[in-house]
Amino acid sequence: MSTLVKILPGTGRETAGEASGGGGAGTGGVRAARPLHQPAAGPPPRAGEEWAEALAGPARAQVIREAAEAGLAEAQAVLGQMLLDGTEVAGDARAGFGWFMRAAAQEHVLALNMVGRCYELGWGVAPDPARAADCYRVAAGRGLPEAMYNWATQLTLGRGVAADKAAALGWLRRAAATGYAKAENFVGSFHEDGWATPVDLLAAAQCYARAAHGGDFRGCFNHARILVRKKRVREALRWVEQALALGTPRFREQVRDWLEGQGDAELRLRGVAAADRC
């Protein structure tokens, strides 16, 4: 089965907004770095109900920046994401990376994951696959499902680390056990293609169904593929539409190409029309 048809994760460059949900922070960059910002003495600039009200108000970005500058790791991680995505502030990937580093130096595991993501994709820093893999490995070991998924992807593809599909499958299963739908979908791919496990199409179908119901757009698509094989075209179309609604622009293009090649007229015409609406 081709990568294009199955649309596996980790095979293309995503934008920050598309990819930031699965990130990686880690050892290479974080362990080698000294803390770039020492927490200020005392509480964040706002606390309790006043802090909550400020976060919901029009000055939210200013409140977050004040808290980040005061040394609050959670605020540093949030500010890093805002700068990376250009949300509520002018986009600045280099500054976003710096804030992720500060939060990661305080052992903020989500920030550590995002440091890895930045190293992997060159967001605000020169790409460094080995550091990215190191970040994912450390964050995965601390129990973060997104990092388990990212670390498993690096192990599967041999990016910045020797390929080891058996180890990758173990990490994907751990992440899937937490309810992380992206990992569930990837486990399905392992079963379908016989990577580090015998080919088991029933197990693959079950994984894809769970991933689809969990809201993963690739899982929705793969679940739809299985339904097409079973001639359940109208049911498949609902999942294709869901995949298109949730997916990234690049993913939608791939799904549209797949739809155009389908022999069933209803699937092809209605599916392409849904892709065009997106």
Side-chain angles (χ1 to χ4, degrees):
M1 183 65 64
S2 70
T3 297
L4 175 61
V5 172
K6 291 180 63 178
I7 310 181
L8 295 177
T11 56
R13 182 181 178 87
E14 298 164 297
T15 68
E18 292 168 351
S20 59
T27 55
V30 175
R31 285 185 177 172
R34 297 180 181 178
L36 300 181
H37 181 85
Q38 295 295 336
R46 295 180 174 85
E49 293 182 2
E50 182 183 357
W51 167 256
E53 291 173 3
L55 284 178
R60 179 175 180 270
Q62 178 63 26
V63 172
I64 291 171
R65 182 174 291 276
E66 289 176 2
E69 291 173 348
L72 187 65
E74 180 69 16
Q76 291 171 347
V78 171
L79 181 57
Q81 193 67 58
M82 290 168 66
L83 288 162
L84 187 63
D85 292 337
T87 302
E88 300 182 60
V89 296
D92 187 338
R94 181 177 290 275
F97 173 74
W99 284 110
F100 287 138
M101 286 286 284
R102 296 185 189 195
Q106 298 192 68
E107 301 188 358
H108 190 289
V109 70
L110 281 169
L112 179 62
N113 183 62
M114 286 309 300
V115 171
R117 207 71 174 130
C118 290
Y119 274 125
E120 181 185 355
L121 297 172
W123 294 338
V125 66
D128 190 329
R131 285 195 171 192
D134 229 5
C135 290
Y136 295 148
R137 177 180 60 81
V138 172
R142 294 178 183 172
L144 184 68
E146 293 92 333
M148 294 178 192
Y149 174 88
N150 290 330
W151 173 228
T153 299
Q154 303 301 93
L155 286 166
T156 301
L157 302 175
R159 289 179 176 168
V161 65
D164 187 340
K165 288 186 173 63
L169 180 57
W171 282 105
L172 288 169
R173 283 173 168 159
R174 286 181 62 178
T178 72
Y180 193 57
K182 288 177 67 174
E184 189 75 70
N185 174 68
F186 211 171
V187 172
S189 294
F190 272 68
H191 283 298
E192 184 172 3
D193 288 340
W195 292 346
T197 187
V199 171
D200 188 335
L201 298 183
L202 176 59
Q206 291 170 340
C207 287
Y208 293 149
R210 286 193 293 268
H213 284 93
D216 176 60
F217 61 85
R218 293 185 180 93
C220 292
F221 172 76
N222 286 326
H223 182 44
R225 286 194 303 108
I226 301 300
L227 291 170
V228 169
R229 290 180 188 173
K230 297 177 179 179
K231 309 299 183 184
R232 293 159 60 179
V233 171
R234 293 192 177 180
E235 188 178 352
L237 274 166
R238 292 198 294 272
W239 286 107
V240 167
E241 291 172 356
Q242 183 78 347
L244 290 166
L246 296 173
T248 65
R250 180 175 178 274
F251 171 83
R252 292 180 191 130
E253 291 174 6
Q254 292 174 311
V255 172
R256 193 184 194 286
D257 290 342
W258 177 81
L259 288 163
E260 287 181 338
Q262 296 305 298
D264 185 283
E266 182 180 14
L267 175 64
R268 184 176 64 256
L269 296 175
R270 287 182 56 188
V272 168
D276 288 342
R277 287 196 299 273
C278 290

